Amino acid sequence: MWLKLFFLLLYFLILFVLARFFEAIVWYETGIFATQLVDPVALSFKKLKTILECRGLGYSALPEKKDVRELVEKSGDLMEGELYSALKEEEASESISSTNFSGEMHFYELVEDTKDGIWLVQVIANDRSPLVGKIHWEKMVKKVSRFGIRTGTFNCSSDPSIQVLVRIFLPFRGMSLVT
């Protein structure tokens, strides 16, 4: 009786140890050991900037890789898991695009009629340059898209109905229209 109980316990112990052994092998092969430290010296300038963006730190005043690397080191240890998630986030943000509205109906169709989510729309006045430059707009789109905010650009000069309204209403508001 005791011998059977001993062998049964030994059997379960061997199964438990083997399961943990194979699990550790799978973790090692797939890189799940996210607690391993990464040396920032070995990373490219672009990867260092991505890590700083994910940590919420600004790097615009740091022109050299050495300075950016030092800021990464001062902001905390860099783990493999953090590097992996930062690179995945960067890949996802590269595929994010901003909608260019072709006219009033397109705008109403996507924004007003559906009431689907939150929109950030840059309105460009007739024959004028946008208030937010292209580079800054793309950075803003990346940052707000993390929170599920959709973005778009509405160029008033591409919609003839808006041009007529602007010509009618602007003089009444005491504004001058340069055409």
Side-chain angles (χ1 to χ4, degrees):
M1 166 86 177
W2 290 104
L3 193 59
K4 289 181 182 179
L5 186 59
F6 172 75
F7 284 126
L8 183 64
L9 287 175
L10 182 66
Y11 173 74
F12 283 123
L13 182 67
I14 291 172
L15 281 178
F16 180 77
V17 169
L18 282 176
R20 296 297 162 243
F21 176 73
F22 289 127
E23 192 174 59
I25 290 173
V26 170
W27 282 352
Y28 182 74
E29 288 177 353
T30 58
I32 302 295
F33 286 125
T35 57
Q36 293 177 347
L37 292 175
V38 176
D39 186 15
V41 175
L43 298 176
S44 69
F45 188 62
K46 185 177 178 183
K47 288 180 183 177
L48 291 171
K49 290 190 318 184
T50 303
I51 291 164
L52 288 176
E53 282 180 4
C54 288
R55 289 182 175 180
L57 298 173
Y59 56 86
S60 60
L62 304 172
E64 295 183 21
K65 180 182 176 182
K66 180 184 80 163
D67 299 329
V68 174
R69 187 191 74 236
E70 287 174 1
L71 183 59
V72 169
E73 289 173 346
K74 288 178 183 176
S75 65
D77 291 334
L78 179 62
M79 306 289 187
E80 273 189 20
E82 182 183 6
L83 177 63
Y84 178 76
S85 64
L87 295 176
K88 283 293 185 185
E89 189 173 309
E90 181 189 15
E91 288 175 9
S93 68
E94 288 176 356
S95 65
I96 295 170
S97 64
S98 183
T99 304
N100 287 320
F101 297 106
S102 58
E104 179 184 8
M105 295 310 295
H106 186 214
F107 175 79
Y108 281 126
E109 194 175 291
L110 288 176
V111 178
E112 278 297 314
D113 288 346
T114 59
K115 306 272 191 226
D116 185 30
I118 301 170
W119 280 84
L120 175 65
V121 178
Q122 178 178 216
V123 179
I124 303 172
N126 285 333
D127 303 322
R128 304 247 174 118
S129 60
L131 292 176
V132 180
K134 183 175 181 172
I135 295 170
H136 294 297
W137 178 252
E138 289 174 359
K139 286 181 181 178
M140 191 182 307
V141 167
K142 281 183 182 180
K143 289 184 179 183
V144 301
S145 65
R146 294 178 187 165
F147 304 106
I149 299 173
R150 298 172 66 184
T151 58
T153 304
F154 188 87
N155 192 344
C156 294
S157 49
S158 67
D159 190 12
S161 64
I162 298 293
Q163 290 177 359
V164 171
L165 289 174
V166 169
R167 286 192 182 112
I168 293 171
F169 289 115
L170 278 181
F172 292 116
R173 293 191 178 170
M175 298 179 192
S176 61
L177 179 65
V178 179
T179 55

